Amino acid sequence: MTRFLSILALVALPAVSYAHGDGSADGSAHDMTSGDHMMMDDADMGDHEHMGNDEDMPAHDVHMMSDGQMPMTSTAQMPGMQPEDTGAITEPGQSAFAAIQEIVAYLLADPDTDWNRVNIEGLRQHLIDMNNVTLRAKVKEDDIDGGARFEATSDDPEVTASIRAMVPAHVATMNGVEGWKMSAEEIPGGSALTVTGADAQKIRALGFIGILTVGAHHQPHHLAMAKGEMMMGH
C-alpha cells in the first residue's frame, strides 16, 4: 500500500505543477517566439524560463507588458526613423534665423573671411525688408498686353520703405531674366513692377511675389551682403 501511494504521488506532481503556472490554461502563461520563451503568471513575473537552443533566443531579455504589447527597447526606432537619423535635428525655428545661421556657418568655415567687413546686422535688416514685402504688402495686379503690372503698397511707412528698397533693386538685378522686360516706378505707398514677355500667362500666374523669386539670386546676394562686398538694398 505504501509503495502504491508513493507511485501515485509521483504521477500527480506534474499535474499540480501545471496548475500553478507552468502551463496553465487560464492564459497567465504566454508562449513567445514559438515556445522558446515562457512568461509566468503575475505572482511569478520576476522569474522566467528560457527554452530551446541559445541561438534561438535574442541577445537581450524581452518582457511582455501586462496588456500584451511589446515595450520599446533601447534599440527601438520611431516609425519612419532610420538609425542614422538619431539626433539629426535640423529645424532652427524661424526662416530668417535659418538664413543668417547658414551664412554665419559659411563665413566661419572660410579662412579667407575678412571679419573687418562682415555685416550680419545689415543682412538682418534686409531680411526684415523681405518679410515686409512677402507677407505685409498689399498687391494689386492688372493684366496688360504681354504681361502684368503689379502695384505693391502699404499704409505702414516701414513696409512702404521695404517695398521701395526691394522692387527697384530687383528690376536692376533681374531685368531680362527668362526673356522678360521689367520696369519699376514709385507710386503712393510703394512701388509698381511691370513685367512683359513672350509668355504673358506665365508672368500672370507667377504674380508679384513669384516674379521676385525667379533667378535664385538671393542666396549669393545674401552672402555678398554679409561679407560687406556690396551696398545694402535688394
Side-chain angles (χ1 to χ4, degrees):
M1 183 66 178
T2 301
R3 182 178 180 182
F4 174 79
L5 291 176
S6 299
I7 294 172
L8 180 61
L10 290 172
V11 172
L13 183 59
V16 172
S17 177
Y18 182 90
H20 279 79
D22 290 342
S24 66
D26 63 359
S28 61
H30 300 277
D31 186 359
M32 299 171 58
T33 61
S34 302
D36 288 343
H37 194 148
M38 295 286 283
M39 296 298 297
M40 311 301 269
D41 60 13
D42 291 341
D44 297 317
M45 283 297 289
D47 298 319
H48 57 275
E49 179 180 359
H50 295 282
M51 301 179 64
N53 296 328
D54 291 342
E55 61 268 23
D56 294 333
M57 298 304 298
H60 58 278
D61 292 343
V62 180
H63 299 281
M64 189 75 82
M65 296 175 68
S66 61
D67 60 358
Q69 300 296 317
M70 295 294 293
M72 291 184 66
T73 66
S74 60
T75 59
Q77 301 292 332
M78 294 296 288
M81 178 182 290
Q82 300 300 319
E84 61 269 20
D85 292 337
T86 304
I89 299 172
T90 59
E91 176 53 54
Q94 206 270 350
S95 59
F97 185 93
I100 295 172
Q101 181 184 53
E102 182 179 50
I103 294 295
V104 168
Y106 183 95
L107 296 176
L108 289 172
D110 183 359
D112 294 328
T113 296
D114 183 352
W115 294 102
N116 292 316
R117 300 180 61 184
V118 166
N119 186 6
I120 300 300
E121 177 57 24
L123 175 59
R124 188 179 79 89
Q125 293 300 322
H126 173 68
L127 294 173
I128 291 172
D129 285 340
M130 292 187 70
N131 186 76
N132 285 340
V133 172
T134 302
L135 301 179
R136 300 179 62 192
K138 296 180 290 185
V139 178
K140 177 179 178 291
E141 177 181 341
D142 292 313
D143 293 346
I144 60 174
D145 187 27
R149 173 184 167 88
F150 308 98
E151 295 185 354
T153 61
S154 176
D155 297 328
D156 185 331
E158 181 180 339
V159 178
T160 296
S162 294
I163 295 168
R164 289 175 176 170
M166 286 194 64
V167 173
H170 181 81
V171 169
T173 304
M174 303 305 293
N175 186 28
V177 67
E178 298 291 327
W180 300 334
K181 180 180 179 181
M182 300 183 186
S183 63
E185 61 181 291
E186 187 173 307
I187 60 175
S191 295
L193 172 65
T194 301
V195 185
T196 56
D199 192 342
Q201 186 53 43
K202 181 188 292 185
I203 293 169
R204 295 165 187 163
L206 287 171
F208 172 73
I209 199 62
I211 296 293
L212 292 187
T213 69
V214 172
H217 59 289
H218 289 275
Q219 292 86 343
H221 170 73
H222 292 168
L223 177 59
M225 183 181 302
K227 293 172 73 172
E229 294 178 352
M230 61 186 307
M231 296 291 292
M232 292 300 301
H234 170 61

